[in-house]
Amino acid sequence: MSEAVADAVAERFEELYGAAPHGVWAAPGRVNLIGEHTDYNDGFVMPFALPHTAVAAVSRRDDGVLRLHSADVEGGVAELRLDGLAPESDKNWTAYPAGVVWALREAGHAVTGADVHLASTVPAGAGLSSSAALEVVVALALNDLFGLDLRGWQLARLCQRAENVYVGAPVGIMDQTASACCQDGHALFLDTRDLSQRQIPFDLAAEGLRLLVVDTQVKHSHSEGEYGKRRAGCEKGAALLGVDALRDVPYAELDAALDRLGDEEEVRRLVRHVVTEDERVERVVALLESGETRAIGPVLVEGHASLRDDFRISCPELDLVVDTALATGALGARMTGGGFGGSAIVLVEESGVEAVTKAVEEAFAASGCTAPRVFEAVPAPGARRVR
């Protein structure tokens, strides 16, 4: 994030509130390399942070008032009373930062108010965690301004609670942890059960590779019903199999577990995806740590097929990206994020970037789809104070 962006957000804060902010913070969106819909099953994920960030200029208040403004949403400053914050009472964008304040206060932290101005370059609705970036940047700012001394994973937990309970979206822990904890030049191997982390070096440029993000421009919303249905189906599968979470079903025993589910066909599909996806995450970690980066390509393709056929959360535009990229020589591709739209990732040789990009754009035009947005994903730093 450039110094000019921080300056612009700070200047707009001063215009809105009449004084300079106490600080400026940034928190990134994320791309998930592998490990989709495993986080709420206590499984493994492997995201990395994007250079795209939510930026917040924030000042502390001590009068029980929260004032919020976004450069990305039409309208003036929203003013809320902290003692009036209540779960699922707000259906606007303000629910995300307000939910963070509510979650901090519910956890016993003495947050007494704030003035906030936000601006984000994380594409909304693209499956790149724009909401988590918004939550984490506010949480980090308040953590610093009120001297709460919370660590990144603790902030992530509180942000997840804000989105689950206050916003009412049943998301897992991955997005917030990625935004709070990722490191520059690395992918984050995260065990979502105990939040143990391992930073895995992920420098594609050094190996002549690129990872493209293709935003299909098809918007999705986690708080709509299909995501919740998948989560409930996974919980049903765990209950039928007598385990705490699907993470506890060993990959080697998957066939036997599926047999025990009998004619529960939908649950069988969900279970098969989650158990095989956890195994794919572990395979990708092993390949990256042994220097076999190109070999992760087929694993990404396997992951897409599982999300498309077993979890059934792909869409024609995402399938078009994957099929076209592979036909044009990409090493691997898959949808990323919650599904039903959003983005796909494409692993490609540096020399093939232009050809793959052109082929995908032409395929979308020929199909009558809205033109996609294509950009390179480079592992970036997690949340931090920038001034």
Side-chain angles (χ1 to χ4, degrees):
M1 193 199 73
S2 70
E3 189 68 28
V5 172
D7 288 345
V9 173
E11 288 168 13
R12 181 62 176 136
F13 179 100
E14 191 162 356
E15 291 172 7
L16 289 163
Y17 298 117
H22 293 158
V24 180
W25 291 260
R30 64 97 187 97
V31 162
N32 192 24
L33 182 62
I34 193 74
E36 219 64 78
H37 289 269
T38 49
D39 60 345
Y40 55 81
N41 289 291
D42 282 2
F44 304 123
V45 294
M46 199 173 186
F48 63 87
L50 286 168
H52 306 71
T53 57
V55 181
V58 185
S59 284
R60 171 177 171 154
R61 297 178 67 101
D62 297 308
D63 59 357
V65 171
L66 175 64
R67 294 196 292 181
L68 302 167
H69 185 269
S70 171
D72 308 304
V73 181
E74 286 189 16
V77 174
E79 184 168 316
L80 306 170
R81 294 287 313 177
L82 299 192
D83 55 14
L85 299 180
E88 299 194 55
S89 62
D90 185 351
K91 300 303 179 185
N92 300 308
W93 73 270
T94 49
Y96 294 95
V100 170
V101 175
W102 171 85
L104 284 165
R105 286 165 57 86
E106 281 285 299
H109 301 294
V111 175
T112 55
D115 288 337
V116 181
H117 171 60
L118 293 148
S120 180
T121 58
V122 185
L128 304 174
S129 298
S130 57
S131 60
L134 193 62
E135 293 157 2
V136 169
V137 75
V138 171
L140 182 62
L142 297 175
N143 185 54
D144 289 354
L145 291 175
F146 288 93
L148 305 181
D149 294 324
L150 296 170
R151 298 176 63 185
W153 66 269
Q154 294 172 303
L155 293 176
R157 277 281 192 224
L158 288 164
C159 289
Q160 182 198 18
R161 177 165 166 75
E163 192 156 352
N164 287 171
V165 180
Y166 196 90
V167 177
V171 299
I173 190 64
M174 173 181 66
D175 296 350
Q176 293 84 359
T177 307
S179 187
C181 300
C182 279
Q183 292 182 6
D184 196 12
H186 292 74
L188 177 68
F189 177 36
L190 174 67
D191 181 334
T192 65
R193 170 164 281 169
D194 61 11
L195 295 190
S196 59
Q197 304 175 16
R198 212 156 88 223
Q199 300 286 346
I200 309 296
F202 192 55
D203 185 359
L204 295 176
E207 300 188 54
L209 297 170
R210 295 290 186 270
L211 191 77
L212 303 179
V213 175
V214 182
D215 177 4
T216 65
Q217 307 283 347
V218 177
K219 303 302 181 188
H220 71 273
S221 173
H222 278 170
S223 53
E224 292 177 4
E226 292 300 320
Y227 182 102
K229 288 179 187 176
R230 301 306 188 280
R231 182 164 185 163
C234 290
E235 290 168 354
K236 180 179 179 180
L240 289 170
L241 293 169
V243 294
D244 290 337
L246 293 183
R247 181 285 189 45
D248 297 313
V249 179
Y251 178 72
E253 298 173 19
L254 175 59
D255 288 344
L258 296 177
D259 287 344
R260 288 168 55 200
L261 292 171
D263 59 2
E264 293 276 357
E265 183 52 39
E266 183 177 356
V267 175
R268 283 165 54 91
R269 286 191 287 99
L270 299 178
V271 170
R272 182 165 54 225
H273 166 72
V274 172
V275 176
T276 58
E277 186 80 346
D278 273 335
E279 189 272 340
R280 281 186 285 272
V281 177
E282 293 185 291
R283 231 190 311 160
V284 167
V285 170
L287 289 168
L288 290 178
E289 290 190 325
S290 63
E292 300 176 76
T293 305
R294 283 170 174 79
I296 74 171
V299 188
L300 302 183
V301 178
E302 286 178 32
H304 184 77
S306 183
L307 290 162
R308 181 192 64 211
D309 301 336
D310 276 344
F311 229 67
R312 298 188 181 179
I313 57 169
S314 189
C315 66
E317 293 85 353
L318 288 167
D319 294 341
L320 184 61
V321 174
V322 172
D323 294 344
T324 303
L326 295 175
T328 316
L331 299 172
R334 75 170 190 91
M335 60 154 287
T336 187
F340 310 105
S343 299
I345 55 173
V346 180
L347 181 67
V348 63
E349 299 283 355
E350 184 178 8
S351 60
V353 168
E354 188 174 334
V356 168
T357 301
K358 182 181 179 186
V360 169
E361 290 172 344
E362 289 178 348
F364 268 57
S367 299
C369 302
T370 301
R373 178 186 181 206
V374 184
F375 59 92
E376 184 182 347
V378 179
R384 66 267 186 209
R385 187 169 188 162
V386 294
R387 60 178 291 178

